[in-house]
Amino acid sequence: METWYYEVVTIEGDYANLKRTDLASDDLKLVARALLPPEIVEGSRLKYEMMQYEIV
């Protein structure tokens, strides 16, 4: 299973925009906040592994 790393760029209501940090890309991924740890803030760094996000 792959591991991907993201940074929370913005939080807008029930969604957060994530930017991949483990490869060069300017694309943002829109993710429902219900799938993310509740304590995230803009600038939080996340690890996505085995279909789960966790703060690193």
Side-chain angles (χ1 to χ4, degrees):
M1 187 128 271
E2 293 186 43
T3 302
W4 298 335
Y5 292 90
Y6 293 94
E7 179 180 346
V8 179
V9 177
T10 60
I11 297 173
E12 300 171 6
D14 292 335
Y15 295 91
N17 283 302
L18 307 181
K19 181 180 180 200
R20 190 115 178 242
T21 59
D22 58 329
L23 57 87
S25 174
D26 288 332
D27 296 334
L28 295 179
K29 179 178 182 179
L30 187 65
V31 178
R33 289 189 62 193
L35 300 174
L36 302 171
E39 58 272 6
I40 65 162
V41 294
E42 292 180 4
S44 294
R45 300 208 174 256
L46 303 172
K47 177 173 79 168
Y48 177 77
E49 186 175 51
M50 298 183 66
M51 299 179 64
Q52 291 186 336
Y53 292 93
E54 66 180 59
I55 294 178
V56 290

